[in-house]
Amino acid sequence: MTARELRPLGEALGTEALGVDLSKPLDSETFAWIEDAFAQHPVLVFRDQDLGPGELAVFGRRFGAPKIHSLVDYRHAEFPEVSWLTNVDKDGNTDWFGVKRATDWHTDSPYEEVPPRLAILHAKEVPSSKGGTMFADMRGAYDSLDAAMKQRLAGLVGLHGRHDGPAGVRLYEGDPEQNLDRKYTEKARPAVIRHRVTGRPILFVNPLHTHGFEGMAKDEAWTLIEQLGEHSTQDRFVYYHAWRVGDVLMWDEQATMHRGAGDYRPDERRVMLRTIVYPN
Ligand code: OGA
Ligand code: MN
């Protein structure tokens, strides 16, 4: 293997980490190198990997605590902390929920008691073109807000539910209920949080899950959520990851929002393994 090295992929986000073989047990020095890189670069990509679900689970556990995935039907049968991100159902037909799922801007599960720290996708099959995942830099998005907006957000607490933000209502309207293993109530979280390592401020509002702010009328809140969503997803904050088979991509669930680009032919297979990691 070549020496370890970081190489930028996008202007805003996206960093390739070269010289790491994730199928081998990670020594503490390599692990520390990854953690350092990840603190600065919240979308980190390892190319040409070939991990089974068990190996992906082991890699994820280095960063925190695993959790059994809440969408029962997408859980991996042997490794329940690993789930499938797939557009193919059990019979080999197009899974339309899988095609549409998560194609609007969000961060994963901010409505859980303790929200996830990071998530990891490992591409197994990718469409012949497009089918990427997009990431928005919520540190840069915060920094570039004007002073009046920063002041307005300073005291605000967002309310996060399952899919009841403005984009959630649009995206999942009319979909059959998914088979979930638990019930969720909404969670209140400050609109501006700090990065766990660098302390940088992060805008923590997303149009899929954030459906209000404490003490604010719904109309005003929805207008603000949509406005912040548009601001944060301008091209200058966004990285489009074009998947290659073998990619292992980890992203920071606080510092970024993401979405499936939803721009590929749904009859082409798009299959990935996924694990989500919670703070220890
Ligand atoms: C995710 C996610 C979108 C996609 O894995 O959490 O939102 O289709 N993925 O790439
Ligand atoms: Mn997601």
Side-chain angles (χ1 to χ4, degrees), residues 102 106-108 251 253 258-259 274:
H106 65 284
T107 186
D108 293 317
W251 71 89
E253 292 278 18
H258 63 278
R259 56 169 286 191
R274 180 175 188 263

Side-chain angles (χ1 to χ4, degrees), residues 175-270:
D175 275 6
E177 275 298 312
Q178 291 297 313
N179 188 4
L180 285 180
D181 69 347
R182 42 198 118 119
K183 280 259 170 285
Y184 292 98
T185 48
E186 72 175 16
K187 276 281 162 302
R189 310 206 174 278
V192 181
I193 58 175
R194 298 243 163 215
H195 188 276
R196 65 196 285 276
V197 178
T198 65
R200 271 185 76 175
I202 294 167
L203 177 59
F204 198 69
V205 172
N206 78 82
L208 195 65
H209 303 299
T210 316
H211 60 88
F213 294 99
E214 278 180 1
M216 192 186 289
K218 183 175 172 183
D219 284 359
E220 190 187 347
W222 280 45
T223 304
L224 180 56
I225 293 162
E226 302 255 44
Q227 185 188 345
L228 292 172
E230 269 161 40
H231 168 79
S232 314
T233 58
Q234 297 171 71
D235 287 351
R236 61 185 163 135
F237 304 125
V238 172
Y239 166 62
Y240 182 112
H241 185 68
W243 291 99
R244 294 187 208 156
V245 171
D247 285 354
V248 169
L249 183 154
M250 60 193 280
W251 71 89
D252 185 318
E253 292 278 18
Q254 273 77 51
T256 64
M257 290 200 294
H258 63 278
R259 56 169 286 191
D263 55 357
Y264 67 101
R265 285 182 43 174
D267 59 331
E268 294 197 317
R269 293 170 67 95
R270 183 177 188 267

